[in-house]
Amino acid sequence: MSSSVLPTAQTALPASPEPPAPPRRPDPGDIATLRAGLAGSLVLPGEPGWAAASAPWNVAVAERPNAVLVAANAGDVVAGVRLAVARGVKVAVTGPGHGASATLASTLRVSTDGLQRIEVDRAARTARVGAGVSWGVLQAALDGTGLTGPVGSSPSVSVVGLLLQGGYSWFSRRVGAAAGSLRAAEVVAADGSIRWIDDGVDPEAMAALRGGGGGFAAVTEVLLDLIEAPNLAGGRLMLPIEAASAVLAAYAAATRTAPPEITLWCSALRFPPLPELPEPLRGRAFVAVDAVSTAGLDALERALAGVRAAGPVVHDTVGVRTASGIPAICEEPVAPTPTVQRGFTLADLPDDAVAAFTAAVTQPGPHLAVQLRHTGGGPVLRDGLATAVADGYVVNALAVAPTPAAQEAAREANERLAVALAPWRGGRPLPSFVDPVDGLAAAYDGEQRARLDAVARRWDPEGTFVRSLA
């Protein structure tokens, strides 16, 4: 399908002659008619609200869509798909979160932020969740239930987005990738129909949704499994960067013996000398260990004993947690930020890998955070493109990069880090940790890609939806 600019309105038809002709069937490409029927809104370039509607969270990536449809319900998504088909443009579906991609250029971007339905079934341990629901909102709805979702490190990422991208969660050691919890989905197909699918209806489409990015239909709701977790605990221990060697050694030792109910992540943090930062952080560097337990606080403190003994703890938030308190542990920024990110896996973490990681992250550089997550060993709950977490650890490097020069410096630093840890590298990371510059192609082998392409050809033969694989 060719891409073309969406005009602001369609030219009015001349008056009907006598006798009156039958009523004209509404044209799905008529923008004025579309707007009148939307519960949400359509925003075009130059109109009020365009900058806010078209900007991604990662403002370092220029997406440049032709228009943004802010959907309030699945019917609005249907209208957007029909408009795009009528006008010969592709559809890019986005929700709240950290994603950004240059592949959205010249598309109709359909924002699902307004799809906020949440229904929790405590007995079945499931939640039905709209595509605009963030993890912070879902986790708050789970307070008091004794349940948690397979949430990751940020409250602002969408539930649907994490499931479609595989998703490393705090509970991957218990349940594998977050995508494995996806039981069913409501989707809008390229022909404008709304369908509920599960493994009984279309197992290959469900497998493609579980980590495939959703590039063959628009996901508007999901049904996902929740995790029994009545004894949640967690928090952050932060120590001066000078203690990094001892902290990382203690961290690595703890991960080798921690049961699946306990997850430990470790980060080197380097804060810029910005006046808006609190004085204790401004221009300083730290090493932090973030932790979550579903086995209670006492078990977590036993796992953290070596870290506490490794140096002076200058920041301590470890304690009993509710479900809503889990995504706040890493204290990640939620405001739109220009970032460069790189993720890759480590098969294991022997002592020489710990030493190499320590040497790399204690040198001055552009990274705000270089994080090491203990992730592997969990089961594969369901078939999918990205439901297995085979490797034991994943590295995620993040730099704030507001200029092209800063972005290039961050990518060079990311490559140096990858080279330093090359002897211990594992397989492909889950798609949620792939560099946006590389695209999701870096997350799949040939068999996985062929499987996803087969589903896409069947569901979207004309290529209505933007595919993340180039």
Side-chain angles (χ1 to χ4, degrees):
M1 299 174 70
S2 61
S3 296
S4 61
V5 176
L6 289 164
T8 57
Q10 183 165 305
T11 303
L13 295 175
S16 300
E18 295 292 340
R24 182 171 65 92
R25 188 175 183 178
D27 179 357
D30 185 333
I31 290 177
T33 301
L34 171 74
R35 280 178 156 159
L38 287 176
S41 61
L42 180 72
V43 188
L44 300 172
E47 294 183 340
W50 171 253
S54 62
W57 184 90
N58 184 357
V59 294
V61 178
E63 294 190 332
R64 299 190 181 93
N66 281 356
V68 177
L69 191 151
V70 183
N73 53 43
D76 284 354
V77 178
V78 170
V81 170
R82 290 175 175 169
L83 171 69
V85 170
R87 292 302 171 110
V89 300
K90 290 182 179 289
V91 176
V93 184
T94 64
H98 296 169
S101 173
T103 62
L104 270 65
S106 303
T107 64
L108 172 63
R109 175 177 166 185
V110 177
S111 168
T112 60
D113 291 22
L115 278 61
Q116 290 291 316
R117 178 176 180 170
I118 298 177
E119 290 183 6
V120 175
D121 187 329
R122 174 66 185 84
R125 296 197 298 274
T126 61
R128 183 168 171 173
V129 178
V133 175
S134 67
W135 279 106
V137 173
L138 175 58
Q139 290 293 112
L142 297 177
D143 280 350
T145 65
L147 300 170
T148 180
V151 59
S153 61
S154 173
S156 61
V157 169
S158 72
V159 174
V160 167
L162 193 70
L163 300 184
L164 297 185
Q165 302 291 340
Y168 295 105
S169 87
W170 278 112
F171 309 101
S172 290
R173 300 192 64 228
R174 279 188 60 184
V175 299
S181 69
L182 178 60
R183 298 183 64 159
E186 179 189 75
V187 300
V188 175
D191 62 5
S193 62
I194 300 176
R195 313 179 198 177
W196 266 98
I197 59 172
D198 58 17
D199 286 329
V201 172
D202 194 330
E204 277 299 296
M206 289 302 301
L209 287 180
R210 297 184 186 117
F216 59 88
V219 177
T220 51
E221 282 191 9
V222 295
L223 181 69
L224 72 148
D225 292 322
L226 301 174
I227 302 162
E228 198 78 44
N231 298 307
L232 280 171
R236 162 169 282 188
L237 299 179
M238 198 158 71
L239 300 87
I241 196 66
E242 291 76 16
S245 181
V247 170
L248 277 155
Y251 165 80
T255 62
R256 292 170 193 145
T257 59
E261 293 79 17
I262 293 177
T263 296
L264 304 173
W265 299 347
C266 187
S267 301
L269 307 171
R270 193 172 297 275
F271 296 97
L274 299 176
E276 57 264 34
L277 289 174
E279 192 279 330
L281 301 180
R282 193 181 308 140
R284 300 183 183 182
F286 303 88
V287 60
V289 173
D290 300 306
V292 166
S293 168
T294 57
L297 181 58
D298 289 346
L300 183 58
E301 286 290 7
R302 287 193 294 271
L304 291 172
V307 174
R308 288 191 179 277
V313 175
V314 297
H315 181 62
D316 183 351
T317 66
V318 175
V320 174
R321 292 261 168 171
T322 61
S324 62
I326 299 299
I329 286 173
C330 290
E331 302 173 2
E332 290 189 0
V334 295
T337 305
T339 63
V340 171
Q341 176 259 347
R342 175 78 179 271
F344 54 87
T345 65
L346 301 180
D348 204 354
L349 192 65
D351 291 343
D352 49 356
V354 175
F357 183 87
T358 304
V361 301
T362 52
Q363 299 299 315
H367 291 123
L368 173 65
V370 182
Q371 186 181 67
L372 183 61
R373 298 187 180 189
H374 187 207
T375 56
V380 177
L381 297 184
R382 292 183 176 87
D383 180 35
L385 264 68
T387 54
V389 183
D391 292 304
Y393 300 82
V394 62
V395 176
N396 188 40
L398 180 72
V400 177
T403 67
Q407 292 163 23
E408 182 59 28
R411 291 192 178 97
E412 291 175 356
N414 287 343
E415 185 59 28
R416 289 194 297 272
L417 178 66
V419 169
L421 296 173
W424 306 280
R425 290 280 295 272
R428 297 172 185 269
L430 295 179
S432 53
F433 267 27
V434 167
D435 187 332
V437 174
D438 295 335
L440 292 185
Y444 306 121
D445 60 26
E447 182 180 347
Q448 290 170 310
R449 175 158 183 168
R451 193 176 184 188
L452 180 57
D453 286 348
V455 173
R457 285 193 299 270
R458 179 161 55 86
W459 273 76
D460 186 18
E462 301 300 321
T464 296
F465 293 97
V466 170
R467 309 228 208 289
S468 299
L469 294 176

